[in-house]
Amino acid sequence: MLQVPIGEQEHLQEFFALCSREGREQEGQEVKLLLQALGQMERQYQEVAEELKIVKKELAGLQNQGIRSSALAVVYQVEKRIENGKSQLAAIREKVTAGVEQAVERARTEGALALSHAIDLIRIPTALKHLECGLGQTVGYTAHARENLQQMKEEFSSAKVHLKNVGRVFTGKERIPLLSEKDKERLETTGYLLGAIGDRLTKTQETVGQVLDRLAAFRERTEERSGVRPSVKKSLRDRIWDKKEGKRTSPETEKTRE
C-alpha cells in the first residue's frame, strides 16, 4: 500500500516536476489520479480484510460444530478470492510506480522524450479489466456465501430439526442438536457483515471502472493530439457489464450472443 503520501515520494515529486517543466502537466495529472485511485482501492481491500477477521471470529465461536466447519469453509473461499484481488492490485500499483521511476532515470540521461514511455497505458487497462472481472465474481460469491449461511440457519431451525430427529429415533441414530439462540445471533451477524463486504467490494469494482474510463479517455486524447490512427478503434468506454458472466464485454460480443 502507498504508505507515504504521493506528494512526499521523491521519485514522484521529480516525475511531476519533469512533466510540469516539459509541458506535460496532463500526463502527470493522469498518473497522480491513477495512483490515488489505486491507493483508495487498496484501503478498501484492507477494510474488507478486517471485516473478514470479524466474520471468522464470529463463526469460530459457533457451538454447533457441523455448522461451524461448513460456514468457515465457505468464508475461507471468499477470503481466498479477496487475497487474489489484493495481489492483482498490488502488481498493478508496482507496475505504475516502476514505470514512473524508470521514466525519471531515463529522463536524466535521454531527456524529456523518456516521459512518453513512463507508463504502458495499453497493458495497465488490461490488468485492471482482469481485476474488475475478478471483483465481479467475488461479489457474486460473497452474496452466495451469505445465502449459504442463511440456509444453514434455517436447516437447523427447531421445526426442521424436530422432523429429522423423529426419523433418527426409529433408526437409532444420534439426534441432531438444535441451533442455540447464540448461534443464531452469530449467523445473523456474519450474514450482515458479508452483505457489507459485498457492498464494499462493489464500490471497489466501480472505482476500477472509473479508472478504466479515465485511461480510455486519456488514451483517445493522446492519439488525437499525436495524429495516431489505431488499426482497430475500440474504446474501453464501450464496455458493457455482463452481470451473468461477472465481467465486461464489448458491444461486438453482445451482438454475437444475439
Side-chain angles (χ1 to χ4, degrees):
M1 187 180 293
L2 291 169
Q3 301 291 348
V4 182
I6 289 175
E8 297 179 15
Q9 297 181 55
E10 185 177 350
H11 66 281
L12 288 174
Q13 282 183 325
E14 188 170 354
F15 174 76
F16 297 139
L18 278 169
C19 288
S20 179
R21 190 164 62 243
E22 299 299 330
R24 294 175 177 267
E25 291 90 348
Q26 188 175 13
E27 285 88 339
Q29 183 67 10
E30 290 299 328
V31 171
K32 186 175 183 178
L33 290 173
L34 174 59
L35 287 170
Q36 288 176 339
L38 293 176
Q40 177 186 346
M41 286 186 274
E42 286 186 316
R43 288 190 293 274
Q44 289 170 335
Y45 264 116
Q46 188 58 39
E47 289 168 356
V48 166
E50 292 301 317
E51 288 171 340
L52 267 180
K53 287 181 182 179
I54 300 174
V55 168
K56 290 191 294 183
K57 183 178 179 181
E58 286 290 331
L59 293 179
L62 289 172
Q63 298 172 351
N64 188 302
Q65 186 176 353
I67 288 186
R68 181 171 68 241
S69 299
S70 299
L72 283 171
V74 170
V75 171
Y76 283 140
Q77 289 301 312
V78 174
E79 185 177 41
K80 182 179 178 181
R81 285 164 169 77
I82 289 172
E83 288 299 320
N84 184 54
K86 285 176 62 179
S87 298
Q88 285 181 291
L89 182 58
I92 293 169
R93 189 250 302 157
E94 288 171 9
K95 179 180 176 63
V96 175
T97 53
V100 170
E101 291 177 4
Q102 187 179 45
V104 170
E105 290 297 323
R106 290 181 61 181
R108 289 169 181 167
T109 57
E110 302 174 25
L113 286 176
L115 291 175
S116 301
H117 307 288
I119 297 175
D120 187 341
L121 290 178
I122 297 176
R123 293 187 181 180
I124 288 174
T126 300
L128 282 169
K129 281 193 286 185
H130 285 308
L131 175 62
E132 185 184 38
C133 176
L135 274 165
Q137 294 172 345
T138 304
V139 168
Y141 195 89
T142 302
H144 182 62
R146 186 183 184 186
E147 291 170 2
N148 279 347
L149 293 183
Q150 180 63 30
Q151 187 176 2
M152 289 179 196
K153 191 181 77 169
E154 292 175 357
E155 284 296 320
F156 281 80
S157 65
S158 57
K160 289 194 174 184
V161 169
H162 176 71
L163 288 175
K164 291 177 181 178
N165 282 334
V166 170
R168 284 176 169 268
V169 169
F170 289 106
T171 57
K173 294 181 179 179
E174 184 179 355
R175 293 189 178 190
I176 300 172
L178 284 171
L179 196 63
S180 68
E181 290 301 316
K182 187 64 177 177
D183 278 359
K184 289 179 183 179
E185 289 177 10
R186 289 186 184 279
L187 288 173
E188 284 287 347
T189 300
T190 53
Y192 171 80
L193 288 171
L194 285 174
I197 287 172
D199 291 341
R200 199 180 296 280
L201 290 172
T202 298
K203 289 181 180 178
T204 306
Q205 184 183 15
E206 291 171 354
T207 303
V208 176
Q210 291 165 5
V211 172
L212 280 167
D213 290 342
R214 175 174 287 278
L215 287 175
F218 172 70
R219 180 177 164 189
E220 287 177 3
R221 289 195 302 270
T222 302
E223 289 173 349
E224 289 173 3
R225 190 167 60 246
S226 61
V228 175
R229 185 178 180 182
S231 57
V232 180
K233 186 170 180 61
K234 184 178 181 181
S235 171
L236 291 175
R237 287 179 294 178
D238 290 335
R239 293 166 300 130
I240 297 174
W241 179 248
D242 187 325
K243 294 182 179 178
K244 184 177 181 180
E245 296 293 333
K247 61 184 180 181
R248 291 191 184 274
T249 59
S250 66
E252 289 76 9
T253 304
E254 294 298 312
K255 290 177 183 178
T256 303
R257 287 182 180 178
E258 293 175 0

